[in-house]
Amino acid sequence: MQEAVNISIMHHFNGILDPRRKPLHIMAEILTIALCATISGADNLVGVVKWAEQNTPWLQDILELPYGLPSHDTVGRVLSIIDPKEFEQCFVNWVNAVFKRTDGDIIPIDGKLLNGSSDKNSAIQAINVVGAFSTANNILLGQVKTSTKSNEIVAIPELLKLLDINNCIVTIDAIGCQMKITS
């Protein structure tokens, strides 16, 4: 008999360390709300809370919410204090649980510069990320932040370690034709 895979967001984010001293809201519930809202198009903290308010009955069916919905300040604090690497690993585990790997799936890997992430006045450089996308499932499988464009060479192997892409076709631009990456 095949073992059932738990695709619940709560299941995958329950283990994230909660550094708050006396939390009222459950960490995994806040992350579930933020993730669902973001997938639904919310692009800031106010949007996350607005989405949660509009979907309260559904959220009450799937979450405990002992103190009601978290405020945008609470969501912001939680998102600012969690370990990004820990969140990344939980997110990748969740995506792998909901992702139906298809033999022959085409997985393009490409670097992107995040628009609006730089600030010339404070000398903050734009954020570069390398991502992998499943064309069969129309989902981003994972992404890794790079320091500069030249660090894509370092980030691509990191990204590949996160993914289960056996029997898939991986495409990449010329920067990926490095011996370290192709071996």
Side-chain angles (χ1 to χ4, degrees):
M1 188 164 112
Q2 191 176 21
E3 186 179 320
V5 176
N6 192 333
I7 62 171
S8 160
I9 297 171
M10 284 287 296
H11 170 78
H12 289 278
F13 287 90
N14 237 353
I16 289 188
L17 177 67
D18 190 347
R20 299 173 297 163
R21 282 185 272 165
K22 294 183 181 180
L24 293 179
H25 299 282
I26 300 166
M27 170 78 79
E29 290 190 348
I30 294 170
L31 296 175
T32 298
I33 291 169
L35 187 56
C36 289
T38 302
I39 290 169
S40 299
D43 60 0
N44 59 42
L45 298 174
V46 174
V48 168
V49 172
K50 186 179 277 187
W51 177 89
E53 289 168 350
Q54 293 169 346
N55 293 279
T56 300
W58 179 73
L59 290 170
Q60 289 171 330
D61 285 345
I62 65 165
L63 304 174
E64 292 177 29
L65 299 172
Y67 296 95
L69 295 174
S71 69
H72 78 280
D73 288 338
T74 299
V75 174
R77 266 193 311 279
V78 165
L79 294 177
S80 71
I81 62 174
I82 59 172
D83 178 359
K85 287 289 186 190
E86 193 176 5
F87 179 85
E88 175 186 51
Q89 189 59 58
C90 290
F91 182 79
V92 168
N93 292 341
W94 174 69
V95 168
N96 285 334
V98 298
F99 164 66
K100 183 180 179 217
R101 191 168 46 83
T102 308
D103 286 351
D105 186 5
I106 298 173
I107 312 287
I109 294 179
D110 195 18
K112 298 287 181 212
L113 188 67
L114 297 182
N115 190 23
S117 62
S118 66
D119 184 0
K120 292 178 184 176
N121 294 333
S122 57
I124 295 174
Q125 293 185 341
I127 297 171
N128 289 297
V129 293
V130 176
F133 185 81
S134 166
T135 58
N137 292 280
N138 289 326
I139 188 169
L140 180 68
L141 300 175
Q143 66 182 20
V144 174
K145 180 182 173 191
T146 62
S147 297
T148 64
K149 188 70 174 170
S150 63
N151 283 340
E152 272 188 40
I153 296 168
V154 175
I156 292 168
E158 284 182 46
L159 177 62
L160 291 172
K161 286 179 197 173
L162 296 172
L163 307 173
D164 176 12
I165 52 175
N166 291 326
N167 300 319
C168 295
I169 299 167
V170 176
T171 65
I172 195 165
D173 56 19
I175 199 164
C177 298
Q178 305 287 322
M179 288 298 286
K180 288 181 181 178
I181 295 171
T182 58
S183 58

